[in-house]
Amino acid sequence: MTDTSPSTMTMASAINAGLRAAMERDPKVLLMGEDIGALGGVFRVTDGLHKDFGESRVMDTPLAESGIVGTAIGLAMRDYRSVIEIQFDGFIFPAYDQITTQLAKMHYRSRGNITLPIVIRVPFAGGIGAVEHHSESPEALFAHTAGLRIVSPASPQDAYDMIQQAIACPDPVLFMEPKARYWDKGEVDTSLVLDKLSDADATAALGRARVARTGEDVTLVAYGPTMRIALQAADVAASEGTSVEVIDLRSLSPLDSATVIRSAKKTGRAVVVHEAPTAYGAGAELSARITEEAFFHMEAPVLRVGGFHTPYPASKFEHDYLPSLDRVLDAIDRVMTH
Amino acid sequence: MDAQGPLSDEGLVQLLTHTGERVEHDTYSAYAADLTADDLRAFWRDMTLVRAFDDEATSLQRQGELGLWVQSWGQEAAQIGSGHVLRGDDFAFPSYREHGVAFTRDVDLPSILKIFRGLEHGAWVPSEHNFHLYTLVIGAHTLHATGYAMGLDRDGLTGTGDPDRDSAVICYFGDGATSQGDVAEALTFASVNNAPVVFFCQNNQFAISESTTRQSKVALADRGKGVGIPSVRVDGNDVIASYAVTQWAMQHARSGQGPVFVEAFTYRMGAHTTSDDPTRYRSKADEEYWAERDPISRLRTHLEAIGELSEEYQAEVAAAAKALAARTREAVRSWVRPPVLDMFDHVYAEPHATVEAERAWFERYDNSFTEAGAH
Ligand SMILES: Cc1ncc(C[n+]2csc(CCOP(=O)(O)OP(=O)(O)O)c2C)c(N)n1
């Protein structure tokens, strides 16, 4: 019997614990990726799993992302549930073809006869001073593709719950892990997820946004890597007399518009913050939906704070490229004074 | 070593044993025949300088001056040996560990560290050195090298009948890279187009933590054979053999006979990068075995044995190594980040409305702090 009393964990160890729980529950769950075995992954998220579950369930694959995703599809047709680790965001692209033309569409083109319960874990986003291709936020590229679910946890508890919900989900899920938050600690109650998984609504739960902090004046929407700054901004704004409601989207596809719209109608102002470039990003989608569904409740245009339409710059520039606390506060000011 | 498959030493061309004795090879001795004692000393000097630079960069990373460093430690012979074959008009495509090759292409070694200090993505002008930028996406550049070679061929720069005028391309990549689809495609394109490109695979036995045995059941050189590309395995810790085999390969490509696959069998003596911890996946014994096969001390033993390495010369090289390390340290510490607006430059060759608007917004936003006295 594993001890399920709440304990303090980093996000990395919470994902590890979630993977372990899923592997213990279901012998068909396999891990695939580069350096996930003896090394435990470059972020150590799979630490110890190779030792405990063996090579046949924790596979150090050849260095070929397209190969990993493509073979996971075939394995899924034999009822194996692969959880893939892509080493860094920028290295998912060799698999882009398999993900978008095959993984995303198989259920549709087989008229529902084939399900592909594959999870692709992607350490993503920046702020760690890394070299090129190690700090990117490509989520919108995938959110634009029907057939994929895209989620991103922002806390150890969510990481623990959501990874198991993602594995239980019959659809392919891109599980975007904010790598700069891997070492942040939080309380994790490891008993919760068992109930949620026995519930037929596990997938529905995975797609729900969460009001992380209630407020009256502005709705601030974030997910994964920018949740921390959103909560900080809400604190600072509160000290200056502005009450900010913070929504943790958790899922980009599906997008829980109902939760966002409800909040926007209440506050009449909305700011969206993400690290991904704003052009054609999640913020653009949210802004459109708010405009379509809550136009007459809005006091100001929806503002976006995010990355720019440039490649991710060399790391000495990332502090300026990424949405900062100041930039979020500036946007809050602008919607307040509109 | 009792290794098999891709880690066996079967068929490795060797001209200098690990104890420093010259040996002959039916085919390849001829391609090292022009090497004088001066050349060998220069190889030794270059390898020594590159390692000194490598060591300095490692300590700069440890001191927080660099975000990351990727050592070439142990691979100097494969890089310096092959790099010395290249002529001005040849073009090299590196991955990210080819500091030795960079040196032979006259890239100022300290400038490489701009990448690892987070100042730039590419720190030299490729056309000035006929040396492409480092590519971090594994294997992607093997296709670029192939296309460049196809271009050389179209331009009539190979197989001219005058060996002095011919040129070719060399492309460096690792054992792990051979698993990528891009690399398989590069071999196919090179083969069917008879492109003048030498695929130079440094099998350093690891792709981060994964042994080459995770990538292949057979020798990596067999990848070339599978698509009809002549392939050779060479002892990559033997600078003379690395030179000779590359000399043969480049002559083959330049003369219009098409691509070649060279597998240089070597050992990554350091960690994958300064972020890596090799104690998790390999043994001390293995590291010690390969330390005894160190490429630099091997050549040094040979030069001393034949009486061609004077104390004076050694002192000269030691001083040059020290000076290079000092210059590297000074350079790194002197660099300041370019102005912030530079991050909007060169996204496109012509103005682009979105970039211009965002640059203008950022400038106003950034200035608002100065005006408000907030900074
Ligand atoms: C497409 C892609 N996937 C994953 C990575 C992460 N990664 C960086 S280096 C490396 C191993 C490369 O091994 P190898 O090709 O043998 O070259 P070496 O580093 O040993 O010189 C990996 C997996 C990457 N850079 N690009």
PDB file of all heavy atoms in Angstrom, chain A residues 4 97 151 155 199 293:
ATOM      1  N   THR A   4      -0.459   7.689   0.763  1.00  0.00           N
ATOM      2  CA  THR A   4      -1.083   8.729  -0.051  1.00  0.00           C
ATOM      3  C   THR A   4      -1.344  10.009   0.731  1.00  0.00           C
ATOM      4  O   THR A   4      -2.071  10.876   0.278  1.00  0.00           O
ATOM      5  CB  THR A   4      -2.412   8.240  -0.658  1.00  0.00           C
ATOM      6  OG1 THR A   4      -3.251   7.799   0.394  1.00  0.00           O
ATOM      7  CG2 THR A   4      -2.188   7.130  -1.662  1.00  0.00           C
ATOM      8  N   ASP A  97       5.284  15.865 -38.328  1.00  0.00           N
ATOM      9  CA  ASP A  97       4.511  15.160 -39.345  1.00  0.00           C
ATOM     10  C   ASP A  97       3.697  14.033 -38.714  1.00  0.00           C
ATOM     11  O   ASP A  97       2.479  13.952 -38.899  1.00  0.00           O
ATOM     12  CB  ASP A  97       5.468  14.621 -40.417  1.00  0.00           C
ATOM     13  CG  ASP A  97       4.773  13.716 -41.407  1.00  0.00           C
ATOM     14  OD1 ASP A  97       3.649  14.046 -41.813  1.00  0.00           O
ATOM     15  OD2 ASP A  97       5.350  12.676 -41.775  1.00  0.00           O
ATOM     16  N   VAL A 151      -2.574  20.291 -22.828  1.00  0.00           N
ATOM     17  CA  VAL A 151      -2.725  20.748 -21.445  1.00  0.00           C
ATOM     18  C   VAL A 151      -1.371  21.164 -20.874  1.00  0.00           C
ATOM     19  O   VAL A 151      -0.324  20.773 -21.387  1.00  0.00           O
ATOM     20  CB  VAL A 151      -3.349  19.651 -20.539  1.00  0.00           C
ATOM     21  CG1 VAL A 151      -4.702  19.223 -21.082  1.00  0.00           C
ATOM     22  CG2 VAL A 151      -2.418  18.460 -20.384  1.00  0.00           C
ATOM     23  N   SER A 155       1.111  23.596 -11.243  1.00  0.00           N
ATOM     24  CA  SER A 155       1.480  23.306  -9.854  1.00  0.00           C
ATOM     25  C   SER A 155       1.785  21.813  -9.724  1.00  0.00           C
ATOM     26  O   SER A 155       1.343  21.012 -10.550  1.00  0.00           O
ATOM     27  CB  SER A 155       0.307  23.639  -8.925  1.00  0.00           C
ATOM     28  OG  SER A 155      -0.752  22.710  -9.148  1.00  0.00           O
ATOM     29  N   ASP A 199     -13.852   7.963 -12.210  1.00  0.00           N
ATOM     30  CA  ASP A 199     -14.959   8.760 -12.727  1.00  0.00           C
ATOM     31  C   ASP A 199     -14.832   8.810 -14.264  1.00  0.00           C
ATOM     32  O   ASP A 199     -13.744   8.999 -14.791  1.00  0.00           O
ATOM     33  CB  ASP A 199     -14.776  10.160 -12.117  1.00  0.00           C
ATOM     34  CG  ASP A 199     -15.882  11.113 -12.481  1.00  0.00           C
ATOM     35  OD1 ASP A 199     -16.625  10.848 -13.444  1.00  0.00           O
ATOM     36  OD2 ASP A 199     -15.966  12.129 -11.798  1.00  0.00           O
ATOM     37  N   GLU A 293     -18.434  36.629 -27.354  1.00  0.00           N
ATOM     38  CA  GLU A 293     -19.448  36.191 -26.394  1.00  0.00           C
ATOM     39  C   GLU A 293     -19.707  37.165 -25.241  1.00  0.00           C
ATOM     40  O   GLU A 293     -20.673  36.993 -24.510  1.00  0.00           O
ATOM     41  CB  GLU A 293     -19.058  34.817 -25.820  1.00  0.00           C
ATOM     42  CG  GLU A 293     -19.060  33.744 -26.911  1.00  0.00           C
ATOM     43  CD  GLU A 293     -18.596  32.391 -26.402  1.00  0.00           C
ATOM     44  OE1 GLU A 293     -19.027  32.002 -25.302  1.00  0.00           O
ATOM     45  OE2 GLU A 293     -17.785  31.758 -27.102  1.00  0.00           O
TER      46      GLU A 293
END
